[in-house]
Each structure stands twice: as structure tokens, then as C-alpha cells.
Amino acid sequence: LGYMLLDFGLVESTNEAGLYVGYIASMFTLGQLLSGSFWGSASDRWGRRRVICIGLFNTMLLAPLFGLSRNLWQAMAVRFAMGLLSGNAAAAKAYIGEAVTPETQDMGFSLVAICWSIGNVCAASLGGFLSRPAVQFPNAFGGTIFESWPYLLPCTVAAAFAGIGCVVTLRFLPSQPRRSSGDATAVGGQSGQSGGPWGYVLRNRRCRDVFLIYFCISWLDYGMFEVYPLWAITSTAEGGLAWSPAQVGFTQMLGCPMLL
């Protein structure tokens, strides 16, 4: 993102990109924050698999648009839409919770965390390798569309992965039974005295503690994935490493074995 802002002409060097990188990166999570409850309820009504497929399909359509962004506002708008129209995180975790048994739930949720982390690392690494391909690999990509749109290639690859994931989900993921109206009424009755699900969460100390811990973990996780690349591409005069996107991607890839 630091080099993208440099190509936008918004900053004179990557040393000044931190503030604007934060704007772009936060748009996705802001969109998910605003739509998370809706997608959670939608997965109860429509089924987990359908919501997961909708999220993957929307990502497939929107990812190339991010690569075609020409200014900060376009990039922020696309990232916000990607978060707003994706309910994968809520639906996938709910699906796992229903698919595992009490004996296998520890392993099931552990695998979800491992796969999520590996996906983040691999995607960041691949994005670094494929960004600005005409600069990094002029013999292969010089004079192509990827010279005019230096971030279209990694976004197109991301869209392809999302499309494959959508097909695989439709073809191989078993459909979980939807919640019946009776079940929904029972759940509503159980939490009605406390103001619905949010009231239950606020009144239940264990839920509050879990959410607080998850918030802290997410804070550190996103901070690492955003701050590290910024430091790596900062000039050596400012205390950075002056690395290219490919070098940053390679070092992030080295973290995959540690996640296993």
C-alpha cells in the first residue's frame, strides 16, 4: 500500500505513507463492523454456505477494482465495499461451530485460526511479489497492461482464488441445516429479558472477557501486518530498510512454517 500511495502521487516518498495506509486498511474492517450482524443473521436464515459463497463472489468482483484504483478515495471505497459485502468471517466460524463435536471442537477451531493466519501471510507475500510487476520483472511485464495498472496483477490473482473458493464451496461444502423459526423464537425468548444478543453479551462477564481478549489479539495482529511493511519500505535514512514489495513479501512468507 505504501508504494500504491506513492504511485497515486499522494506522497513524495514511502516515508510519508503511514497515515494514508491506515485509512485504506481500516476501511475493510469498518465495513465488516457495520455489516457483521446482518451477515450473521442472514446465515441463520439463508444457510452458512450461501453466505460464504456470496462473500467469495463479491470479493471476486471487487478485488480487481482495487487494483484499478487511481486515487485514495477510490481505493478506500473499494476496500469498504469489500468489507461491507463479505460475511465470510462470521458465517465460516458459525459453520465450524455447528460442524464439530465436543470432542473435536478444540482441533476444529485451532485449524480455523491456523488456516486464517497462513492465508493472511501467504496473501501478503504473494501480493508483495506480484505488485508493480513491470518494475520488478521488466522483461516479462514491461509494456503490458500491468505497467499501466501496477497493482492489477495481485488483485486479479486474489479474485481468481476467491472464484475458485466459491466453486469449491458450492461443490464440496455440505449445507448445514438452517435454523427453524421455532429455534429462533426460543433463542429470542432466552435473551429477551436482557435486550437480545447484545444485551446478553453485555451482561455476561465471560463474553465480555473473551471479546476483550479477541480485540487485543486483533489489534496486535493487524498492527503487525500493517506496520511491518511500512517500516520495511521506509528509507534507511529514516530507520527503515528501503525494501521493495518483493523483498517484503519474501520475508513475510518465511513466517508460514512458524504458524504450523
Side-chain angles (χ1 to χ4, degrees), residues 55-72:
L56 290 170
F57 183 77
N58 289 335
T59 299
M60 181 183 69
L61 296 180
L62 291 170
L65 296 181
F66 184 72
L68 295 173
S69 300
R70 282 299 196 187
N71 56 58
L72 176 66

Side-chain angles (χ1 to χ4, degrees), residues 18-187:
L19 176 64
Y20 302 106
V21 167
Y23 290 159
I24 297 175
S26 64
M27 286 296 102
F28 182 84
T29 50
L30 177 61
Q32 290 209 313
L33 175 66
L34 297 178
S35 65
S37 296
F38 166 78
W39 287 117
S41 299
S43 70
D44 288 339
R45 299 192 304 270
W46 305 339
R48 316 296 188 202
R49 186 176 67 172
R50 181 176 296 182
V51 170
I52 292 172
C53 288
I54 291 173
L56 290 170
F57 183 77
N58 289 335
T59 299
M60 181 183 69
L61 296 180
L62 291 170
L65 296 181
F66 184 72
L68 295 173
S69 300
R70 282 299 196 187
N71 56 58
L72 176 66
W73 298 109
Q74 290 177 3
M76 290 175 60
V78 174
R79 287 288 291 171
F80 177 75
M82 291 176 71
L84 193 70
L85 299 177
S86 176
N88 291 354
K93 291 176 182 177
Y95 186 100
I96 292 295
E98 295 167 347
V100 298
T101 64
E103 294 76 19
T104 61
Q105 64 180 359
D106 292 341
M107 178 59 70
F109 283 105
S110 297
L111 288 175
V112 170
I114 291 173
C115 291
W116 182 270
S117 299
I118 291 177
N120 281 339
V121 172
C122 291
S125 304
L126 190 62
F129 279 120
L130 299 180
S131 294
R132 309 178 88 192
V135 176
Q136 302 189 80
F137 314 105
N139 293 334
F141 296 99
T144 67
I145 187 176
F146 300 114
E147 185 171 6
S148 302
W149 308 95
Y151 304 97
L152 180 59
L153 181 59
C155 292
T156 302
V157 172
F161 272 105
I164 293 172
C166 185
V167 173
V168 171
T169 299
L170 281 172
R171 178 65 180 83
F172 298 106
L173 189 68
S175 180
Q176 293 289 88
R178 302 179 191 177
R179 176 180 293 175
S180 67
S181 58
D183 293 337
T185 303
V187 172

